[in-house]
Amino acid sequence: MSEAKLSVSGVRKVFEGRAGEVVALDGVDFEIAEKEFVTVIGTSGCGKSTMLSIIAGLEEESEGEVLVNGEPVHGPGRDRGVVFQSYTLFPWMTAQKNVEFALHGTKGERADIAREHLELVGLEGFADAYPSQLSGGMRQRIAIARALSYKPEVLLMDEPFGALDAQTRQLMQELLTRIWEEHRLTVMFVTHDIDEAVFLSDRVLVMTARPGRIKEDIRVGVERPRTFEVLSTPEFFEYKSRLLEAVREESLKTATEQLAVR
Ligand SMILES: Nc1ncnc2c1ncn2[C@@H]1O[C@H](COP(=O)(O)OP(=O)(O)O)[C@@H](O)[C@H]1O
Ligand SMILES: [Mg+2]
């Protein structure tokens, strides 16, 4: 158990809203081993972002515990890198400066590390460009470069490709897979896209409808290295249909609940 890079146990989260309490999470338990790529999927509103924010230290759990490398999480820290769906770059800084901003060290060291990470995401020619001059996919590549540049223990990604068009999204998935296969990072990735989950992951955790907890934990045995060609293999479809069924069961619960309220 102590080998887990990330350990989440008994996590419950209650939000106090105007309309009363919302129990977003109730009894979330899972572990991510070092160098494992784990994706959390689930129907909209099941608590995926809440879970990720608690791990990032941006929200506090009501009960339970999150450990990174065996240490309890108290607030944000450099042991966790975070990439969100919406662009979190500073518009007044170049790509290079947006990455350097996250780094410690001398000016020269920061410049070198930033350059190296822009190269990692294929943006070596765009160091001096401003976010507004770049496409959505390129901006997310800068966000990934920045999150990786300070070598976090765990990379947390909340629907990072959710705002991109389908083609760009596929290219970004391939880029992330290539980086992961070369560098073997510990990743927790959140999405509601089942193809994306199967393509990227070693394991997929399916969450229940709200209050969220882990409903299924499925190991994805699709061979690596993975390229877009795996998307059309029978094996890929088997995992996909199994996950579709699990997610659909939970979406139906949410839909039934909403209809019953009306
Ligand atoms: N700050 C907040 N205050 C009150 N309720 C919240 C807050 N953040 C999230 N929620 C509620 O918690 C539930 C889970 O939300 P979220 O984690 O964003 O789900 P997901 O990312 O899976 O779509 C939702 O019902 C949402 O409305
Ligand atoms: Mg979300």
Side-chain angles (χ1 to χ4, degrees), residues 148-170:
L148 293 177
S149 66
Y150 49 91
K151 304 252 182 296
E153 299 282 346
V154 184
L155 179 62
L156 305 170
M157 307 182 91
D158 191 355
E159 311 219 21
F161 310 144
L164 305 175
D165 64 81
Q167 286 72 32
T168 306
R169 190 174 181 137
Q170 178 56 41

mmCIF file of all heavy atoms in Angstrom, residues 148-170:
data_model
loop_
_atom_site.group_PDB
_atom_site.id
_atom_site.type_symbol
_atom_site.label_atom_id
_atom_site.label_comp_id
_atom_site.label_asym_id
_atom_site.label_seq_id
_atom_site.Cartn_x
_atom_site.Cartn_y
_atom_site.Cartn_z
ATOM 1 N N LEU A 148 4.516 20.095 -16.427
ATOM 2 C CA LEU A 148 5.579 19.081 -16.349
ATOM 3 C C LEU A 148 6.936 19.679 -15.979
ATOM 4 O O LEU A 148 7.812 18.973 -15.489
ATOM 5 C CB LEU A 148 5.714 18.347 -17.689
ATOM 6 C CG LEU A 148 4.530 17.461 -18.085
ATOM 7 C CD1 LEU A 148 4.779 16.856 -19.461
ATOM 8 C CD2 LEU A 148 4.305 16.370 -17.045
ATOM 9 N N SER A 149 7.094 20.996 -16.210
ATOM 10 C CA SER A 149 8.422 21.608 -16.121
ATOM 11 C C SER A 149 9.021 21.521 -14.719
ATOM 12 O O SER A 149 10.238 21.453 -14.577
ATOM 13 C CB SER A 149 8.362 23.067 -16.571
ATOM 14 O OG SER A 149 7.582 23.814 -15.658
ATOM 15 N N TYR A 150 8.205 21.529 -13.678
ATOM 16 C CA TYR A 150 8.784 21.467 -12.331
ATOM 17 C C TYR A 150 8.760 20.059 -11.764
ATOM 18 O O TYR A 150 8.892 19.855 -10.570
ATOM 19 C CB TYR A 150 8.150 22.500 -11.401
ATOM 20 C CG TYR A 150 6.642 22.556 -11.388
ATOM 21 C CD1 TYR A 150 5.904 21.779 -10.489
ATOM 22 C CD2 TYR A 150 5.967 23.390 -12.257
ATOM 23 C CE1 TYR A 150 4.525 21.829 -10.471
ATOM 24 C CE2 TYR A 150 4.584 23.445 -12.249
ATOM 25 C CZ TYR A 150 3.867 22.670 -11.355
ATOM 26 O OH TYR A 150 2.499 22.717 -11.340
ATOM 27 N N LYS A 151 8.570 19.056 -12.659
ATOM 28 C CA LYS A 151 8.672 17.648 -12.300
ATOM 29 C C LYS A 151 7.808 17.251 -11.100
ATOM 30 O O LYS A 151 8.321 16.808 -10.067
ATOM 31 C CB LYS A 151 10.141 17.280 -11.999
ATOM 32 C CG LYS A 151 11.104 17.599 -13.126
ATOM 33 C CD LYS A 151 11.574 16.336 -13.815
ATOM 34 C CE LYS A 151 12.577 16.592 -14.915
ATOM 35 N NZ LYS A 151 12.070 17.372 -16.068
ATOM 36 N N PRO A 152 6.486 17.407 -11.240
ATOM 37 C CA PRO A 152 5.612 17.016 -10.135
ATOM 38 C C PRO A 152 5.601 15.499 -9.950
ATOM 39 O O PRO A 152 5.914 14.759 -10.880
ATOM 40 C CB PRO A 152 4.237 17.515 -10.589
ATOM 41 C CG PRO A 152 4.302 17.524 -12.081
ATOM 42 C CD PRO A 152 5.725 17.861 -12.413
ATOM 43 N N GLU A 153 5.217 15.062 -8.753
ATOM 44 C CA GLU A 153 5.093 13.626 -8.467
ATOM 45 C C GLU A 153 3.897 13.060 -9.228
ATOM 46 O O GLU A 153 3.909 11.917 -9.657
ATOM 47 C CB GLU A 153 4.846 13.415 -6.962
ATOM 48 C CG GLU A 153 5.957 13.917 -6.064
ATOM 49 C CD GLU A 153 7.137 12.972 -6.026
ATOM 50 O OE1 GLU A 153 6.988 11.820 -6.472
ATOM 51 O OE2 GLU A 153 8.210 13.395 -5.554
ATOM 52 N N VAL A 154 2.847 13.867 -9.299
ATOM 53 C CA VAL A 154 1.607 13.437 -9.938
ATOM 54 C C VAL A 154 1.113 14.546 -10.859
ATOM 55 O O VAL A 154 1.125 15.722 -10.484
ATOM 56 C CB VAL A 154 0.498 13.157 -8.883
ATOM 57 C CG1 VAL A 154 -0.756 12.627 -9.550
ATOM 58 C CG2 VAL A 154 0.972 12.180 -7.823
ATOM 59 N N LEU A 155 0.680 14.158 -12.065
ATOM 60 C CA LEU A 155 0.084 15.122 -12.983
ATOM 61 C C LEU A 155 -1.430 14.930 -12.944
ATOM 62 O O LEU A 155 -1.935 13.823 -13.154
ATOM 63 C CB LEU A 155 0.620 14.880 -14.399
ATOM 64 C CG LEU A 155 0.087 15.799 -15.500
ATOM 65 C CD1 LEU A 155 0.462 17.254 -15.239
ATOM 66 C CD2 LEU A 155 0.631 15.367 -16.861
ATOM 67 N N LEU A 156 -2.161 16.014 -12.637
ATOM 68 C CA LEU A 156 -3.622 15.961 -12.533
ATOM 69 C C LEU A 156 -4.210 16.711 -13.722
ATOM 70 O O LEU A 156 -3.863 17.870 -13.961
ATOM 71 C CB LEU A 156 -4.075 16.638 -11.233
ATOM 72 C CG LEU A 156 -3.445 16.119 -9.938
ATOM 73 C CD1 LEU A 156 -3.807 17.039 -8.777
ATOM 74 C CD2 LEU A 156 -3.893 14.684 -9.666
ATOM 75 N N MET A 157 -5.083 16.067 -14.482
ATOM 76 C CA MET A 157 -5.627 16.709 -15.680
ATOM 77 C C MET A 157 -7.150 16.603 -15.679
ATOM 78 O O MET A 157 -7.706 15.511 -15.645
ATOM 79 C CB MET A 157 -5.052 16.042 -16.933
ATOM 80 C CG MET A 157 -3.522 15.978 -16.930
ATOM 81 S SD MET A 157 -2.836 15.245 -18.445
ATOM 82 C CE MET A 157 -2.624 16.705 -19.452
ATOM 83 N N ASP A 158 -7.823 17.760 -15.699
ATOM 84 C CA ASP A 158 -9.290 17.775 -15.661
ATOM 85 C C ASP A 158 -9.839 18.156 -17.034
ATOM 86 O O ASP A 158 -9.860 19.331 -17.390
ATOM 87 C CB ASP A 158 -9.781 18.759 -14.600
ATOM 88 C CG ASP A 158 -11.279 18.617 -14.345
ATOM 89 O OD1 ASP A 158 -11.941 17.827 -15.056
ATOM 90 O OD2 ASP A 158 -11.793 19.302 -13.443
ATOM 91 N N GLU A 159 -10.264 17.170 -17.804
ATOM 92 C CA GLU A 159 -10.793 17.366 -19.155
ATOM 93 C C GLU A 159 -9.942 18.350 -19.960
ATOM 94 O O GLU A 159 -10.466 19.315 -20.530
ATOM 95 C CB GLU A 159 -12.254 17.853 -19.093
ATOM 96 C CG GLU A 159 -13.099 16.993 -18.162
ATOM 97 C CD GLU A 159 -14.510 16.731 -18.656
ATOM 98 O OE1 GLU A 159 -14.757 16.864 -19.871
ATOM 99 O OE2 GLU A 159 -15.347 16.374 -17.831
ATOM 100 N N PRO A 160 -8.627 18.112 -20.019
ATOM 101 C CA PRO A 160 -7.748 19.111 -20.636
ATOM 102 C C PRO A 160 -8.001 19.332 -22.128
ATOM 103 O O PRO A 160 -7.646 20.374 -22.660
ATOM 104 C CB PRO A 160 -6.343 18.528 -20.415
ATOM 105 C CG PRO A 160 -6.554 17.059 -20.305
ATOM 106 C CD PRO A 160 -7.883 16.913 -19.608
ATOM 107 N N PHE A 161 -8.628 18.355 -22.780
ATOM 108 C CA PHE A 161 -8.872 18.486 -24.218
ATOM 109 C C PHE A 161 -10.351 18.729 -24.512
ATOM 110 O O PHE A 161 -10.786 18.681 -25.668
ATOM 111 C CB PHE A 161 -8.386 17.225 -24.957
ATOM 112 C CG PHE A 161 -6.980 16.808 -24.591
ATOM 113 C CD1 PHE A 161 -6.623 15.467 -24.503
ATOM 114 C CD2 PHE A 161 -6.010 17.772 -24.314
ATOM 115 C CE1 PHE A 161 -5.328 15.092 -24.156
ATOM 116 C CE2 PHE A 161 -4.709 17.404 -23.960
ATOM 117 C CZ PHE A 161 -4.376 16.059 -23.881
ATOM 118 N N GLY A 162 -11.116 19.002 -23.482
ATOM 119 C CA GLY A 162 -12.566 19.121 -23.602
ATOM 120 C C GLY A 162 -13.043 20.261 -24.484
ATOM 121 O O GLY A 162 -14.133 20.206 -25.041
ATOM 122 N N ALA A 163 -12.216 21.309 -24.615
ATOM 123 C CA ALA A 163 -12.657 22.468 -25.397
ATOM 124 C C ALA A 163 -12.146 22.409 -26.841
ATOM 125 O O ALA A 163 -12.379 23.332 -27.615
ATOM 126 C CB ALA A 163 -12.171 23.757 -24.721
ATOM 127 N N LEU A 164 -11.463 21.322 -27.199
ATOM 128 C CA LEU A 164 -10.838 21.261 -28.525
ATOM 129 C C LEU A 164 -11.726 20.516 -29.522
ATOM 130 O O LEU A 164 -12.517 19.657 -29.147
ATOM 131 C CB LEU A 164 -9.484 20.550 -28.419
ATOM 132 C CG LEU A 164 -8.505 21.141 -27.390
ATOM 133 C CD1 LEU A 164 -7.252 20.275 -27.296
ATOM 134 C CD2 LEU A 164 -8.136 22.571 -27.747
ATOM 135 N N ASP A 165 -11.550 20.819 -30.809
ATOM 136 C CA ASP A 165 -12.290 20.090 -31.844
ATOM 137 C C ASP A 165 -11.782 18.653 -31.908
ATOM 138 O O ASP A 165 -10.675 18.349 -31.440
ATOM 139 C CB ASP A 165 -12.147 20.787 -33.191
ATOM 140 C CG ASP A 165 -10.718 20.800 -33.678
ATOM 141 O OD1 ASP A 165 -10.264 19.788 -34.236
ATOM 142 O OD2 ASP A 165 -10.039 21.823 -33.467
ATOM 143 N N ALA A 166 -12.585 17.773 -32.494
ATOM 144 C CA ALA A 166 -12.307 16.335 -32.455
ATOM 145 C C ALA A 166 -10.933 15.968 -33.016
ATOM 146 O O ALA A 166 -10.234 15.127 -32.461
ATOM 147 C CB ALA A 166 -13.402 15.578 -33.196
ATOM 148 N N GLN A 167 -10.529 16.614 -34.117
ATOM 149 C CA GLN A 167 -9.252 16.266 -34.740
ATOM 150 C C GLN A 167 -8.074 16.690 -33.861
ATOM 151 O O GLN A 167 -7.140 15.918 -33.642
ATOM 152 C CB GLN A 167 -9.113 16.916 -36.128
ATOM 153 C CG GLN A 167 -9.951 16.274 -37.210
ATOM 154 C CD GLN A 167 -11.446 16.586 -37.052
ATOM 155 O OE1 GLN A 167 -11.818 17.661 -36.567
ATOM 156 N NE2 GLN A 167 -12.300 15.654 -37.436
ATOM 157 N N THR A 168 -8.155 17.926 -33.355
ATOM 158 C CA THR A 168 -7.087 18.413 -32.482
ATOM 159 C C THR A 168 -7.005 17.553 -31.232
ATOM 160 O O THR A 168 -5.925 17.209 -30.749
ATOM 161 C CB THR A 168 -7.354 19.881 -32.080
ATOM 162 O OG1 THR A 168 -7.550 20.648 -33.265
ATOM 163 C CG2 THR A 168 -6.208 20.461 -31.286
ATOM 164 N N ARG A 169 -8.182 17.195 -30.741
ATOM 165 C CA ARG A 169 -8.263 16.383 -29.537
ATOM 166 C C ARG A 169 -7.532 15.047 -29.710
ATOM 167 O O ARG A 169 -6.754 14.625 -28.861
ATOM 168 C CB ARG A 169 -9.743 16.141 -29.261
ATOM 169 C CG ARG A 169 -10.014 15.532 -27.953
ATOM 170 C CD ARG A 169 -11.522 15.478 -27.748
ATOM 171 N NE ARG A 169 -11.740 14.909 -26.461
ATOM 172 C CZ ARG A 169 -12.625 15.341 -25.579
ATOM 173 N NH1 ARG A 169 -13.403 16.356 -25.879
ATOM 174 N NH2 ARG A 169 -12.738 14.753 -24.420
ATOM 175 N N GLN A 170 -7.762 14.430 -30.864
ATOM 176 C CA GLN A 170 -7.101 13.148 -31.142
ATOM 177 C C GLN A 170 -5.578 13.327 -31.198
ATOM 178 O O GLN A 170 -4.829 12.532 -30.631
ATOM 179 C CB GLN A 170 -7.641 12.551 -32.443
ATOM 180 C CG GLN A 170 -6.991 11.231 -32.844
ATOM 181 C CD GLN A 170 -7.099 10.163 -31.755
ATOM 182 O OE1 GLN A 170 -8.134 10.034 -31.111
ATOM 183 N NE2 GLN A 170 -6.019 9.432 -31.515
#
